[in-house]
C-alpha cells in the first residue's frame, strides 16, 4: 500500500517579509503542486530509506541502521506531538546528507533533504521505505516550493501514522479533518524552519489550508474573495534563497529598528486594506474596476516598501518597468531578490494587451504563467497494492 499527498504552492498578495516581523500578510494557494508518494519496503532484504527527487533526477539512499545509529538520541517517534530539530540534530542530519554526495550545482537542496530526514524520522522512526517527490513548482522562485514540499511530506507521513483519523479505503483525493490539519501544519512548519531559518508560517499554512488567508503572528483568518482575481506570474529565473533574504531583512531591522517598524506598520495596514477590498461586495463592473484600481495602488505601495527593505532586484525592476508600459501594476511575491513577480490583470483588460505584455516579458528571458488562484489545500490518496 502507498499513500500519495499533494500540496499547492502559493502567491503572497501582500506582506511578505513584514509577516516575519509580526505584520499582517495575505496569501492564496495556486494550482501548482508538489506531490509526495510514500511506500514502506515489503522485501525482507530491503533495509534502506530512499528519497527520489524525480524532476531533479536525484536519488538518495541511507541504510536504516546508519540513520538509527546517527539519530539514536531521538528516541521513539512521536507523530502526535511536533518537535523542533535541535542544533545538534541538524548537524547530525547534515552529515547524513553530505555522505550522499550532493552534486555541487544542487547544493541548495541540502536543506530540503535535511528537512525530509527530520520529518521522516520524527514521524515514522526508522522504517525502511521509498519516498518519491515530483513538483510543478519552480524551486527557489517565491512560489513556496519549500512549504509545499514540507506540507506534502508531512501529509504522507502522518497519513500512515496513528495520530490522524483517515479512511484508508476511500478512493480518490481526501482532505484532513480540522485537528489533523492543525497537527500537519505544525510539523510542516518544523520542516520550513530547517529550510528557511525563521519562517513566519504563512507559506505552510496557505499550502495546508488552501484558498486565501490573512495571516498574522502565527494566526490565520480565512478570506472569501468577492471579486475575480487574475494574476500574471512572471518568473525572472534569477535564483535566490529565502533564508538569506529573510536574514538580510532582520539585519537591516537591527540596524534601523525605528525606521523599519514604520515600514512594517505600513505593510500591516496595506494587507488589511487589501483583504477588506477583496472581501467587500462588488455588484457590477464599475465597482470591480474601482476595487482593482485600489488593489493596484496597494500593490505598488507594497512593492515600494519591499524595495526599502532591500529585497528587490534589477530583474524585478525590469518586470515592473515593462508591465507599467501597459499600465499594469506589479509587485514581487515571496522572498524577492529575483524569483517571481505578480501583475494584476484587470477584468476588463483586453487579451491583446496581455499577450503583448507577456511577449515583451518573455523576450527579456522571463517566463510567464497565469496561475489559478485559491484552490484546495493539501490532499492525500491511498493506492497501490497492499
Ligand atoms: N521538491 C523538492 N524537493 C527537495 N527539496 C525541495 C523541493 N522543493 C523545495 N525544496 C527545498 O526548498 C528550497 C527552496 O526554498 P525557498 O528558498 O524557500 O524558495 P521557495 O519556497 O520560494 O521555492 C530548495 O532549495 C530545497 O532545499
Ligand atoms: C519572505 C517570506 O515572507 C515568504 C517566503 O516565501 P518563499 O519561500 O520565497 O516562497 C518568509 C516567510 O514568511 O516565512
Ligand atoms: Mg520557501
Amino acid at each position: 500500500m502507498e499513500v500519495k499527498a499533494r500540496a499547492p504552492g502559493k502567491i503572497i498578495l501582500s506582506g511578505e517579509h513584514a509577516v516575519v516581523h509580526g505584520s499582517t500578510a495575505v496569501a492564496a494557494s495556486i494550482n501548482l503542486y508538489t506531490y509526495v508518494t510514500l511506500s514502506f519496503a515489503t522485501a525482507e532484504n530491503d533495509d534502506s530509506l530512499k528519497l527520489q527527487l524525480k524532476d531533479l533526477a536525484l536519488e538518495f539512499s541511507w541504510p536504516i541502521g546508519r540513520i538509527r545509529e546517527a539519530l539514536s538520541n531521538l528516541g521513539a517517534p512521536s507523530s502526535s506531538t511536533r518537535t523542533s530539530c535541535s542544533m545538534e540534530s541538524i548537524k547530525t542530519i547534515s552529515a547524513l546528507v553530505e555522505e550522499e554526495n550532493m552534486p555541487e550545482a544542487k547544493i541548495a537542496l541540502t536543506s530540503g533533504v535535511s528537512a525530509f530526514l527530520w520529518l521522516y524520522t520524527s514521524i515514522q522512526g526508522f522504517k525502511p521505505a521509498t519516498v518519491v517527490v515530483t513538483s510543478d513548482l519552480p524551486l527557489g522562485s517565491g512560489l513556496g516550493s519549500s512549504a509545499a514540499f514540507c506540507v506534502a511530506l508531512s501529509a504522507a507521513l502522518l497519513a500512515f501514522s496513528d495520530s490522524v483519523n483517515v479512511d484508508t479505503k476511500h478512493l480518490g483525493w481526501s482532505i484532513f479533518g480540522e485537528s489533523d490539519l492543525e497537527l500537519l501544519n505544525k510539523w510542516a512548519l518544523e520542516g520550513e524552519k530547517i529550510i528557511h531559518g525563521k519562517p513566519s508560517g504563512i507559506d505552510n499554512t496557505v499550502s495546508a489550508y488552501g484558498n486565501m488567508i490573512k495571516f498574522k503572528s502565527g494566526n490565520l483568518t480565512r478570506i472569501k474573495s468577492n471579486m475575480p482575481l487574475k494574476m500574471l506570474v512572471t518568473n525572472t529565473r534569477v535564483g535566490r534563497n529565502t533564508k538569506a533574504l529573510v536574514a538580510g531583512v532582520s539585519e537591516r531591522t537591527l540596524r534601523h529598528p525605528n525606521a523599519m517598524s514604520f515600514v512594517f506598520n505600513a505593510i500591516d495596514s496595506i494587507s488589511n486594506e487589501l483583504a477588506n477590498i477583496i472581501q467587500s461586495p462588488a455588484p457590477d463592473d464599475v465597482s470591480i474596476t474601482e476595487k482593482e484600481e485600489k488593489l493596484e495602488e496597494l500593490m505598488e505601495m507594497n512593492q515600494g516598501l519591499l524595495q526599502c527593505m532591500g529585497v528587490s532586484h534589477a530583474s524585478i525592476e525590469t518586470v515592473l518597468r515593462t508591465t507599467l508600459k501597459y499600465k499594469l501594476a506589479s509587485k514581487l511575491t515571496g522572498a524577492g531578490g529575483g524569483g517571481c513577480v505578480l501583475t494584476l490583470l484587470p477584468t476588463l483588460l483586453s487579451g491583446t494587451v496581455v499577450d503583448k505584455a507577456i511577449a515583451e516579458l518573455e523576450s527579456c528571458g522571463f517566463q510567464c504563467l497565469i496561475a489559478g488562484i485559491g484552490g484546495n489545500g493539501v490532499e492525500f490518496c491511498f493506492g497501490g497494492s497492499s
Side-chain angles (χ1 to χ4, degrees):
M1 174 124 111
E2 66 176 34
V3 68
K4 187 171 194 164
R6 70 169 189 191
K10 59 93 226 263
I11 50 174
I12 297 185
L13 296 162
S14 144
E16 48 277 270
H17 286 291
V19 68
V20 177
H21 300 268
S23 303
T24 307
V26 180
S29 60
I30 53 172
N31 61 347
L32 298 175
Y33 301 87
T34 293
Y35 299 85
V36 170
T37 307
L38 163 65
S39 49
F40 292 118
T42 43
E44 292 231 332
N45 56 357
D46 187 352
D47 208 12
S48 61
L49 174 61
K50 296 187 186 66
L51 172 65
Q52 298 175 357
L53 304 179
K54 284 278 186 201
D55 318 299
L56 303 155
L58 285 177
E59 176 162 345
F60 306 89
S61 177
W62 299 267
I64 280 292
R66 175 73 194 99
I67 301 180
R68 193 195 297 272
E69 172 197 39
L71 296 172
S72 54
N73 60 325
L74 286 188
S78 171
S79 53
S80 60
T81 330
R82 63 89 182 258
T83 36
S84 294
C85 190
S86 65
M87 281 311 285
E88 195 192 332
S89 298
I90 291 260
K91 279 191 199 141
T92 314
I93 286 174
S94 304
L96 280 172
V97 178
E98 271 159 33
E99 284 169 19
E100 287 288 303
N101 291 326
M102 181 78 75
E104 194 55 38
K106 294 180 175 158
I107 211 78
L109 291 172
T110 305
S111 59
V113 177
S114 299
F116 160 76
L117 278 177
W118 169 252
L119 290 173
Y120 189 91
T121 50
S122 302
I123 298 175
Q124 285 295 342
F126 304 111
K127 287 186 199 159
T130 299
V131 175
V132 181
V133 182
T134 59
S135 186
D136 307 328
L137 291 159
L139 268 52
S141 302
L143 299 183
S145 77
S146 59
F149 175 65
C150 294
V151 170
L153 198 52
S154 304
L157 293 168
L158 285 171
F160 267 146
S161 77
D162 296 333
S163 305
V164 296
N165 189 3
V166 293
D167 174 8
T168 56
K169 304 271 179 321
H170 182 269
L171 296 174
W173 292 107
S174 307
I175 57 170
F176 288 93
E178 199 62 25
S179 62
D180 293 344
L181 198 55
E182 210 175 297
L183 175 68
L184 183 163
N185 196 30
K186 286 183 178 156
W187 274 115
L189 177 64
E190 294 307 322
E192 272 276 86
K193 283 185 190 164
I194 295 174
I195 302 174
H196 275 199
K198 194 189 167 197
S200 65
I202 190 171
D203 287 6
N204 50 287
T205 302
V206 75
S207 178
Y209 288 80
N211 303 309
M212 200 178 288
I213 64 165
K214 204 161 91 160
F215 190 87
K216 185 184 169 84
S217 305
N219 298 312
L220 91 147
T221 313
R222 290 183 167 95
I223 288 183
K224 205 178 150 349
S225 173
N226 242 326
M227 63 186 287
L229 259 190
K230 203 166 161 193
M231 290 283 175
L232 175 67
V233 180
T234 303
N235 187 351
T236 61
R237 300 196 220 225
V238 173
R240 85 304 168 276
N241 165 302
T242 300
K243 188 175 184 174
L245 286 149
V246 169
V249 174
S250 293
E251 282 158 21
R252 189 170 279 207
T253 307
L254 283 177
R255 284 194 298 274
H256 312 285
N258 269 346
M260 289 295 275
S261 81
F262 283 103
V263 171
F264 297 144
N265 275 336
I267 294 181
D268 186 72
S269 303
I270 289 173
S271 295
N272 282 312
E273 200 178 328
L274 184 127
N276 288 343
I277 294 169
I278 289 174
Q279 291 181 99
S280 67
D284 52 39
D285 278 358
V286 178
S287 45
I288 289 179
T289 301
E290 276 171 11
K291 283 169 68 163
E292 287 169 344
E293 282 167 5
K294 285 188 190 158
L295 290 185
E296 285 177 327
E297 202 164 28
L298 291 170
M299 283 171 67
E300 279 171 357
M301 287 160 71
N302 192 173
Q303 172 61 32
L305 293 165
L306 284 158
Q307 197 184 11
C308 174
M309 286 183 220
V311 296
S312 194
H313 184 268
S315 61
I316 295 175
E317 302 295 327
T318 304
V319 177
L320 301 181
R321 266 197 318 276
T322 309
T323 55
L324 201 57
K325 281 195 213 166
Y326 300 90
K327 299 194 167 52
L328 299 173
S330 306
K331 71 172 273 289
L332 69 82
T333 191
C340 288
V341 179
L342 292 183
T343 304
L344 182 77
L345 300 177
T347 326
L348 299 179
L349 183 70
S350 88
T352 328
V353 175
V354 179
D355 291 346
K356 278 191 184 158
I358 290 178
E360 188 167 344
L361 288 165
E362 290 186 338
S363 74
C364 300
F366 304 142
Q367 197 176 28
C368 294
L369 66 100
I370 294 177
I373 296 177
N376 278 0
V378 65
E379 293 175 305
F380 64 94
C381 131
F382 286 97
S385 51
S386 54

